[in-house]
């Protein structure tokens, strides 16, 4: 299976149009449009897809992230931050157009619902904005890159597509990427990935 995008090249920078944070954006926000994705060479017997987008370079120390005066070293320990979780995507789907699932910031998050024929899961801005009066809420679907501007590491955003042998995973409404990964165990027929980079430093 092969996954590609017309919005950015594999291993190359993601335009601010597809990021939640941008240097020159209004109030520091970018276009927050989902990027274009397309795939082919799908395994026989595929009955649905799961799509995830994960930043594998998220800093693990919240206090350091909050301290904008102190640069976050490249060697600082990193973890995962989920930006997109879609499950039960139709077996005949081969493309998600740019901006079709997200176009601009939705304060307090997009609601539960469907994108590209699949069901939206929660992304990790749900936890990140918790307690913020203006932004706190449940964030379903796609919300793009917004790495700390004082982080010296360029972040990588991995888009991963899984072809499954079941039509639905039977996930709860407010499911997470971790829920989807657990539920798909034993049902993966194939997978494909690509990643883009993004940084607000420099």
């Amino acid at each position: 299976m092969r996954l590609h995008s017309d919005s950015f090249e594999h291993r190359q920078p993601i335009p601010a149009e597809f990021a939640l944070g941008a240097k020159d954006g209004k109030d520091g926000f970018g276009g927050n449009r989902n990027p274009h994705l397309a795939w082919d060479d799908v395994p026989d017997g595929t009955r649905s897809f799961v799509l995830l987008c994960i930043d594998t370079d998220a800093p693990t120390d919240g206090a350091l992230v909050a301290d904008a005066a102190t640069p976050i070293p490249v060697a600082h320990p990193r973890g995962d931050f989920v930006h997109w979780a879609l499950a039960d995507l139709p077996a005949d789907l081969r493309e998600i157009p740019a901006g079709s699932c997200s176009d601009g910031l939705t304060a307090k998050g997009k609601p539960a619902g469907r994108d590209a024929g699949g069901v939206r899961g929660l992304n990790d801005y749900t936890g990140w904005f918790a307690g913020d009066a203006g932004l706190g809420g449940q964030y379903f679907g796609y919300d793009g890159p917004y790495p700390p501007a004082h982080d010296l590491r360029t972040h990588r955003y991995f888009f991963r597509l899984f072809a499954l042998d079941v039509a639905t995973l039977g996930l709860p409404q407010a499911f997470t990427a971790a829920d989807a990964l657990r539920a798909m165990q034993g049902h993966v027929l194939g997978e494909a990935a690509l990643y883009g980079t993004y940084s607000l430093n420099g």
Side-chain angles (χ1 to χ4, degrees), residues 58 149 153 169 175:
R153 179 182 288 196
L169 290 176
F175 74 90

Side-chain angles (χ1 to χ4, degrees), residues 6 25 37 43 53 59 61 79 98 111 114 129 137 139 151 161 164 175 202:
D6 292 342
L37 294 172
C53 175
D61 186 340
R114 304 187 71 85
F129 288 132
Y139 281 72
D151 194 345
L161 182 74
L164 308 182
F175 74 90

Side-chain angles (χ1 to χ4, degrees), residues 18-21 32-33 81 83 102 123 125 142-147 157:
F18 306 106
L20 181 60
N32 201 40
R33 303 178 74 230
F81 190 100
H83 287 266
S102 180
N123 67 54
Y125 285 113
Y142 179 82
D143 287 292
Y146 200 162
Y157 297 83

